[in-house]
Amino acid sequence: MSKSEHERERSLAVFIDLENLAMGFQSQRKVKFDVQKVLERLVEKGKLIVKKSYADWSRYPNYTAPFHESAIELIEIPKRSQTGKNSADIRLVVDAMDLAWSKPHVDTFVIVSGDSDFSPLVSKLKENGKHVIGLGMKGSTSELLRDNCDEFIYYEDLERQEQNEQQLAIDLNAYLPANLTEKQREVFSLLMESCAALRRENHEVLYASMIKDTMKRKMPSFDESYFGYRSFTHMLEDADNLELVDIERNPKSGTYMVTRVSGERSGDGGRPPAGPEKLPTPHSGPRGRGRHGPHR
C-alpha cells in the first residue's frame, strides 16, 4: 500500500557551497561551519539521498574530516586564479540540473549557500517540479535567493534549535521516573526529538509510522527491541502512560497516532508552545497503569 500524502517521505539532494559559507563565517567572526547541525535538521525533512560539497579543499583542511564522516562527497574545485571566480558555482549548478533530470525520485533540492548567483538554479528546479530549500547565514544571504526558495533555513536558527533540544533533554531527564533504565531514557529522548521535528514540519497529527520513520532517520540503527519493547506500539503506550504524549487509535487503520506532545496545550491545533518546549512539572508519578498499562 502506498503511503498517503501526509506520510510521504521526501528524497533530498544536498549541495553545499562551502566557500560562500566559510566567507560568511569569517566576516561575522564566528566559529567554523558545523555541517552536522545542518544534516540533523535536514534529516527531519526526509531521506538524504545525495550530499555534495564544493571547494578548493586545500584551503579548507579542517573541514575534510567532518565532511567525510558525514558521508558527503567532496568535489574538488581548483583555485579561482586558475579557473575563474564562479567555477564552484557552475559545477554545482551543472550537477544539480543533471540530477534533476536523471533521478526523478529526488524531489527536494537543498542549496546550502547565500549566494544570489544560485537564484536562476532555484527557479529552474522549481520549473521542473522540485521543492527547493535554501540554507545560509543571516548576514551573508541574498534576499533574492532567500525569497525564491520554497523554504529557507537560517544557520543561526539551527544553533538556537540545538540549545532548545539540550534544554528539553535536561527537562526530560528530570521529569522521568528514577526507576527507568538508561535505554528507556534514551529512546524517550529520541521520541520527543522526533515529535518536535515533525511539529516543525507542520504535522498536526503524528502517525506512528511517521514517527518511527523520523526516529530511524535520526538514528539509522533504531530498533525498539533494543530498548526493551516488543513493538513500537508498546513503546508509544509506555510514553502515553508517562504523559510524554497523548495517543489515540486511527479510526481507519486502527494504528496509533499522537495527538498531543508534552508541553502543548490541548486544542491548540497541534502547534508547539512559543519558545523552548516545557515538560510538565514532575509529580507523584506517571499514569503508569492508566489507559494502557506499562509495557516494558
Side-chain angles (χ1 to χ4, degrees):
M1 181 183 296
S2 61
K3 289 188 176 182
S4 58
E5 181 65 23
H6 61 255
E7 293 182 280
R8 185 175 64 84
E9 184 177 68
R10 289 189 176 276
S11 296
L12 280 70
V14 184
F15 297 88
I16 303 173
D17 177 11
L18 181 62
E19 292 199 4
N20 175 269
L21 294 167
M23 287 188 293
F25 270 71
Q26 289 170 2
S27 66
Q28 297 187 34
R29 298 179 180 178
K30 294 173 70 70
V31 295
K32 73 175 186 177
F33 172 71
D34 186 350
V35 72
Q36 197 58 38
K37 285 189 179 72
V38 172
L39 298 181
E40 287 173 0
R41 179 67 178 93
L42 295 178
V43 80
E44 298 174 355
K45 292 182 173 292
K47 186 180 294 184
L48 304 184
I49 304 296
V50 175
K51 294 175 287 186
K52 295 186 177 186
S53 185
Y54 302 78
D56 175 2
W57 293 101
S58 65
R59 298 175 59 197
Y60 303 100
N62 293 336
Y63 286 97
T64 56
F67 275 53
H68 273 305
E69 290 168 4
S70 298
I72 298 172
E73 182 181 357
L74 307 186
I75 307 299
E76 179 67 38
I77 304 297
K79 292 181 180 179
R80 290 182 175 184
S81 60
Q82 297 174 7
T83 59
K85 177 180 180 297
N86 295 319
S87 55
D89 299 4
I90 293 170
R91 178 65 187 275
L92 189 156
V93 170
V94 169
D95 286 353
M97 289 308 303
D98 177 64
L99 188 71
W101 282 99
S102 63
K103 301 290 189 295
H105 63 282
V106 178
D107 54 16
T108 302
F109 284 67
V110 184
I111 309 300
V112 185
S113 176
D115 193 338
S116 61
D117 290 350
F118 290 118
S119 187
L121 169 63
V122 172
S123 297
K124 187 59 66 175
L125 289 170
K126 289 165 68 177
E127 283 179 24
N128 285 276
K130 306 302 183 182
H131 185 81
V132 183
I133 301 170
L135 193 150
M137 297 181 65
K138 289 183 178 179
S140 58
T141 292
S142 159
E143 291 184 5
L144 178 64
L145 176 66
R146 180 197 66 192
D147 295 342
N148 201 20
C149 293
D150 294 303
E151 301 177 54
F152 200 91
I153 301 169
Y154 283 118
Y155 183 85
E156 290 85 347
D157 292 335
L158 301 182
E159 295 177 322
R160 281 194 293 272
Q161 177 185 319
E162 183 180 48
Q163 293 171 357
N164 290 346
E165 288 179 348
Q166 290 172 350
Q167 185 60 51
L168 180 61
I170 293 171
D171 293 343
L172 178 64
N173 194 54
Y175 168 76
L176 290 173
N179 62 344
L180 290 190
T181 66
E182 285 303 312
K183 287 185 177 180
Q184 286 175 307
R185 291 175 181 274
E186 182 182 358
V187 77
F188 288 139
S189 179
L190 179 61
L191 171 66
M192 296 297 282
E193 286 179 16
S194 300
C195 288
L198 289 165
R199 287 294 197 233
R200 281 192 288 271
E201 294 303 306
N202 298 315
H203 294 286
E204 293 189 2
V205 178
L206 311 183
Y207 297 88
S209 59
M210 183 190 298
I211 297 171
K212 186 171 182 178
D213 285 346
T214 303
M215 293 174 73
K216 287 186 73 68
R217 288 200 301 270
K218 282 180 166 290
M219 180 189 287
S221 62
F222 171 74
D223 184 338
E224 59 271 13
S225 63
Y226 170 80
F227 297 97
Y229 292 98
R230 289 178 293 164
S231 69
F232 193 73
T233 293
H234 293 147
M235 193 202 76
L236 284 180
E237 289 176 349
D238 222 3
D240 178 75
N241 290 329
L242 290 164
E243 298 186 22
L244 297 176
V245 297
D246 286 349
I247 58 176
E248 294 179 6
R249 290 283 184 183
N250 186 331
K252 293 183 179 180
S253 65
T255 57
Y256 279 132
M257 53 187 184
V258 171
T259 57
R260 191 188 67 85
V261 180
S262 180
E264 297 172 354
R265 298 180 302 273
S266 59
D268 66 356
R271 298 180 183 86
E277 295 180 64
K278 295 291 185 183
L279 288 159
T281 302
H283 47 74
S284 57
R287 282 184 293 222
R289 300 182 182 274
R291 287 178 289 173
H292 308 291
H295 286 276
R296 299 189 177 94

